[in-house]
Amino acid sequence: LGYELMAVPGGRDAGTRAFNTLVPVVGPLFHRRERLAEVKAPVLLVWGEKEDTLPLSLAEEAARRFPQARLVRVDAGHSPHQEHPERVLPELKTFLDEGLTPREEPRG
């Protein structure tokens, strides 16, 4: 990920700094996890089960910590929305149209 953000000619300093604020490229990942319970809005987490940059365990932990979270696991890598839009878009539409019923989606 660090390579993707910084390997472009001229670099992507602003993008790297912004991303590093949320999830540092180095150091402990998910360093703001203790504050997730403060988020009052419903949260939809869409995560690739084959994600190798940010493991599924981080999404599972986040889903437990957010007061209103729904985790959708997709048989995909880092970009489930691009790899399987037919799976992700209906979930997103439902989330936006109807709100959230706190639960976790089954694998698949």
Side-chain angles (χ1 to χ4, degrees), residues 11-23:
R12 294 185 181 169
D13 293 335
T16 301
R17 281 192 306 277
F19 188 85
N20 200 40
T21 299
L22 298 172
V23 182

Side-chain angles (χ1 to χ4, degrees), residues 60-96:
E60 293 168 337
E61 180 181 357
R64 287 190 300 271
R65 290 177 180 263
F66 283 118
Q68 298 183 73
R70 185 165 154 217
L71 173 58
V72 176
R73 295 176 173 100
V74 181
D75 184 24
H78 187 69
S79 302
H81 60 291
Q82 292 178 328
E83 295 176 48
H84 293 288
E86 73 285 353
R87 169 85 169 94
V88 174
L89 290 175
E91 296 284 355
L92 181 57
K93 184 173 182 346
T94 297
F95 177 77
L96 294 173

